[in-house]
Amino acid sequence: MMHVAPSAGFSEASSRDADIGRYLSHFGRVEALKLQVDSARRAANDSLGRLNALPQPEVGESTLFVAALDIHRRDREALFEAMRQLETAREALRLAASTVVPDR
């Protein structure tokens, strides 16, 4: 039995496949986070609409207004967190794209 070292093309192909797999993994994460941002944006817009529909308190605090304001603040912070995660995932995708070896 003769053992033969793998050719250079074989190792490049397996490396390229691994790079493409990493890229596709990052791409899927970006797409999922886009959906999460869209959902968080809708929730923040809905809570802002409910907040704006309430009468503004004249003097003192309206517990209903304060509760709606707290809900909107939570929704807005969830949106910002989703946007931060999306930007981080996009950066990882850019890095993964730069490592993919083009076909020669």
Side-chain angles (χ1 to χ4, degrees):
M1 176 182 278
M2 181 183 271
H3 294 286
V4 178
S7 67
F10 177 75
S11 63
E12 287 177 12
S14 63
S15 174
R16 184 175 40 245
D17 290 345
D19 289 343
I20 290 172
R22 255 190 310 278
Y23 174 82
L24 291 175
S25 173
H26 289 296
F27 183 79
R29 175 129 173 89
V30 166
E31 291 300 311
L33 286 170
K34 281 182 189 178
L35 294 175
Q36 186 177 349
V37 167
D38 290 342
S39 176
R41 183 173 286 127
R42 279 191 302 278
N45 284 339
D46 290 346
S47 64
L48 180 61
R50 287 190 300 274
L51 180 64
N52 287 335
L54 292 174
Q56 300 292 321
E58 297 295 328
V59 177
E61 293 184 0
S62 166
T63 56
L64 187 59
F65 183 81
V66 171
L69 182 61
D70 287 341
I71 291 170
H72 174 63
R73 286 180 179 157
R74 273 196 312 268
D75 289 344
R76 188 181 63 187
E77 185 52 42
L79 171 61
F80 293 153
E81 179 60 28
M83 291 169 71
R84 285 189 289 270
Q85 289 178 2
L86 177 59
E87 186 54 36
T88 301
R90 283 180 172 161
E91 184 59 32
L93 180 64
R94 282 186 212 103
L95 290 173
S98 68
T99 62
V100 174
V101 179
D103 289 345
R104 294 176 200 171

